[in-house]
Amino acid sequence: QNCYGEVLSETDNMFWASKLHFHMTGTQFYNFPYTFGYLFALGVYAQQDALGEGFHQAYVDLLRDTGCMTAEEVVQKHLGLSIEDPEFWRGSIRIIDKQIQAFEEQIEAA
């Protein structure tokens, strides 16, 4: 309500949970851009430790060029990597794996 003021007659605090993001079964190719974007973003983020303090500027520059370059080009130019190298995507999977492990640890502790 803070965002919409009096425009909405009612609000639903769980509306966000009804949105189907990342996966819709039965619709071919719907999932690909969401999954690619998610894994691509994690692959970029996975480079933070390797680039150290230079990561922030490389990330800002990468974002600036995404409107005029392909994914392959921005990663090569700003991170010095190739998204054709499986190791780029393994960085994404390692982040997801850590999140799953943390979740499982919390479940076991509960």
Side-chain angles (χ1 to χ4, degrees):
Q1 250 177 336
N2 292 340
C3 295
Y4 296 103
E6 300 299 320
V7 175
L8 299 176
S9 60
E10 61 184 77
T11 60
D12 179 357
N13 292 336
M14 294 302 292
F15 182 72
W16 65 271
S18 69
K19 297 292 130 208
L20 300 174
H21 291 286
F22 298 115
H23 297 287
M24 280 179 53
T25 59
T27 306
Q28 292 184 350
F29 295 104
Y30 176 85
N31 301 323
F32 178 79
Y34 292 103
T35 304
F36 178 85
Y38 178 63
L39 293 173
F40 179 83
L42 289 178
V44 169
Y45 180 70
Q47 303 310 310
Q48 186 175 18
D49 288 340
L51 294 176
E53 291 184 21
F55 176 78
H56 179 264
Q57 190 59 53
Y59 181 66
V60 169
D61 294 341
L62 181 145
L63 291 176
R64 186 176 296 119
D65 283 342
T66 57
C68 60
M69 298 174 79
T70 65
E72 293 89 350
E73 292 168 339
V74 294
V75 168
Q76 179 63 50
K77 179 179 178 181
H78 299 293
L79 301 177
L81 301 171
S82 171
I83 65 171
E84 294 180 7
D85 182 352
E87 190 56 33
F88 176 84
W89 302 104
R90 286 185 189 114
S92 306
I93 300 303
R94 282 191 288 273
I95 291 171
I96 294 169
D97 187 50
K98 286 180 185 177
Q99 292 171 338
I100 291 170
Q101 288 177 14
F103 176 74
E104 289 176 341
E105 289 170 7
Q106 290 177 358
I107 296 288
E108 290 172 8

